[in-house]
Amino acid sequence: MRLDPAPTDRPATGAVRPPCRLAGRQGRGRASGAVTLLAAACLGAGFLSAGTAPVRAGPIADAAAEAEKLAAEGRNREAFDALARAADTLWTAAPLELRKLLFVEGDPKGFGVYDPRPGTGFKAGEALRIYAEPFGFGHVREGDWYKIAFEIRIAVANPDGSEAIAPRAGSLQLKSRNPNREFMLHFAYVPKGLKPGGYLLLAEVKDTATGKIAQIRMPFQLQ
């Protein structure tokens, strides 16, 4: 994949791709950045987010009551399925959120399999590796497959909010035969041409299935 200076409106297509180095041309002497995006799902079951309609308690309470009744009858799998329907209601109505968002050491091995990085200081040329677990995204049905797809814009700002590195855009996707919710995003971003000091890593994560958007704002220091 290539990074473009602005997001594309073209839908993501194709099968799952391995992590790719995302790079674009920059003018001579300008700060720039290279990004690697990685998506993974467990095949089983400081952010801002766009708001969505609140969930009515009725369907959730009804599902909980049904689950309790089924469990009392020893029908545990059916009770679990009833609670899963309540979870579906909450998930669909929720805004896109990143319930975990942190800097990590090395590449995560999968959903929940990562080593947190102590501190937010980085050496020049070192990759900023971010692990995130999105919540509230959708799936696009393609035959027997369920597709998860995101469009991402990444930039770096000075502490006062002024632009340090212009936004770069990329996309990623994953297909599975199950509508997975245990899904991770991993960003490996290498800022270039910046002087030592404090900065803000800014990213916009858009779920292409629902149009929901989450904003990332993570301070870091270059030593």
Side-chain angles (χ1 to χ4, degrees):
M1 295 182 292
R2 268 190 91 77
L3 278 174
D4 301 314
T8 175
D9 292 327
R10 292 179 305 219
T13 58
V16 181
R17 296 173 182 169
C20 300
R21 174 66 61 181
L22 305 184
R25 291 176 294 181
Q26 292 285 339
R28 183 179 299 275
R30 294 181 58 188
S32 63
V35 187
T36 298
L37 302 180
L38 177 67
C42 179
L43 302 182
F47 65 85
L48 300 174
S49 58
T52 57
V55 181
R56 293 187 303 164
I60 299 171
D62 291 344
E66 180 186 1
E68 187 172 3
K69 178 178 179 294
L70 291 167
E73 297 171 355
R75 300 159 65 184
N76 294 320
R77 184 184 62 79
E78 294 168 84
F80 183 88
D81 290 342
L83 289 177
R85 289 192 292 273
D88 288 341
T89 301
L90 287 169
W91 184 278
T92 301
L96 181 64
E97 301 180 4
L98 301 173
R99 53 185 170 184
K100 282 193 178 179
L101 176 65
L102 67 159
F103 290 115
V104 295
E105 296 277 9
D107 291 336
K109 304 303 181 185
F111 183 85
V113 188
Y114 59 87
D115 294 316
R117 179 188 176 93
T120 57
F122 295 85
K123 298 178 181 179
E126 184 179 5
L128 283 65
R129 301 181 185 280
I130 300 94
Y131 174 90
E133 294 178 4
F135 175 90
F137 56 85
H139 302 81
V140 176
R141 190 69 182 267
E142 296 183 348
D144 293 334
W145 297 87
Y146 294 87
K147 183 174 73 175
I148 302 170
F150 291 94
E151 294 176 353
I152 300 170
R153 283 169 56 85
I154 300 177
V156 173
N158 295 302
D160 61 3
S162 61
E163 183 180 280
I165 297 180
R168 316 292 297 284
S171 62
L172 53 82
Q173 64 177 303
L174 179 82
K175 286 185 178 181
S176 169
R177 293 188 183 277
N178 293 313
N180 300 302
R181 289 179 179 160
E182 292 183 337
F183 181 85
M184 81 160 190
L185 298 175
H186 171 230
F187 308 81
Y189 185 82
V190 182
K192 299 178 181 178
L194 297 177
K195 299 178 180 179
Y199 297 92
L200 291 171
L201 177 70
L202 307 176
E204 178 183 276
V205 180
K206 180 181 179 181
D207 172 28
T208 60
T210 64
K212 299 176 184 177
I213 294 174
Q215 305 283 350
I216 294 173
R217 181 185 176 93
M218 300 179 73
F220 69 94
Q221 295 76 42
L222 281 185
Q223 301 168 351

